[in-house]
Amino acid sequence: MSGTDYQSDTLNAFTPEPSEARRVVVLISGSGSNLQALIDAQAHDELGGEIVAVISNQADAYGLKRARDAGIDAVALPHREYDSREAYDGALIKVIERHEPDLIVLAGFMRILTPRFVNRFLGRMLNIHPSLLPAYTGLHTHARALADGVTEHGCSIHFVTEELDGGPVALQAEVAVVPDETEESLQAKVQAREHLIYPIAVRWFLEGRLQLKGDAAAMDGVALPPTGMRLSHADAAEELDEDVEE
């Protein structure tokens, strides 16, 4: 990892003191592959807490089935049943607070959140984005990166603020873009890194190590740089048992 003094073995070296399980609510809109990574981490006692509910704005989201299969409360709250974004977010706040979460995790939740919602959970809400922020906010990140001819791409975990994809970054993972890269191959490599680092960031937050301090993310009380901690392509590939192309 660059930008800090943390070494790659930080991923697995910290053992927290035993305590009551911290509570996580996950928001999704689709298939829930990052949700599955979190469920798998929880099953191996590597999440640092318990996913107590999964909420989707799409009633047919496959991620709800993933939740039910794991014995997690799965809640469909279709946004089309509400007259406004504000009305929907108000209902969503009520559903979330019923579960008394320590952390809200956005895992492919395709909604722009209102200021009321963001400020209600400020400092307790993480999102994952398929680019090395601040590059390529918004949609179609892989296609835009390839069109620009970049040699480095990746994903970012950040705290959610009112600025779309603009909250302080906590953790990133790099992907080396090879000459014959396609949008599909790049998406697959980035997604593998998402599944690697999201459970780690959630665990760090639930252990009290990762926090939002003012306008910056902080790890163990130390403010992180604007790009957070970054896992290099080589380190990520090693963690994922990928072949590193020379």
Side-chain angles (χ1 to χ4, degrees), residues 81-82 104 121 137 155 159 166 189 194 202 206-207 229:
E81 296 181 2
Y82 294 83
I104 296 98
F121 301 113
T137 60
C155 55
F159 283 96
K189 288 192 287 189
E194 292 177 3
V202 168
L206 295 177
E207 292 170 348
M229 292 173 285

Side-chain angles (χ1 to χ4, degrees), residues 105-121:
V105 174
L106 277 58
F109 188 61
M110 304 303 289
R111 296 278 299 169
I112 296 175
L113 300 169
T114 60
R116 174 192 176 194
F117 186 94
V118 171
N119 289 317
R120 187 65 159 253
F121 301 113

Side-chain angles (χ1 to χ4, degrees), residues 4 125-129 131-135 137 155-161 165-173 197 201 204 210-219 222-231:
T4 74
M125 189 158 46
L126 294 174
N127 183 45
I128 192 157
H129 184 74
S131 77
L132 296 174
L133 292 171
T137 60
C155 55
S156 305
I157 296 166
H158 65 94
F159 283 96
V160 177
T161 62
D165 300 329
V169 175
L171 182 59
Q172 296 183 326
I197 68 172
W204 283 345
L210 177 63
Q211 297 176 315
L212 180 64
K213 295 283 191 182
D215 295 329
M219 184 68 178
V222 179
L224 297 174
T227 53
M229 292 173 285
R230 181 175 288 190
L231 196 64

Side-chain angles (χ1 to χ4, degrees), residues 5 12 19-20 28 39 51 66 79 98 109 115 119 126 145 155-156 197 216 240 242-243:
D5 293 329
N12 300 304
S19 61
E20 183 178 346
I28 63 168
I39 291 172
I51 302 169
R66 295 183 192 269
H79 64 271
R98 210 175 294 152
F109 188 61
N119 289 317
L126 294 174
C155 55
S156 305
I197 68 172
L240 295 165
E242 292 178 349
D243 292 329

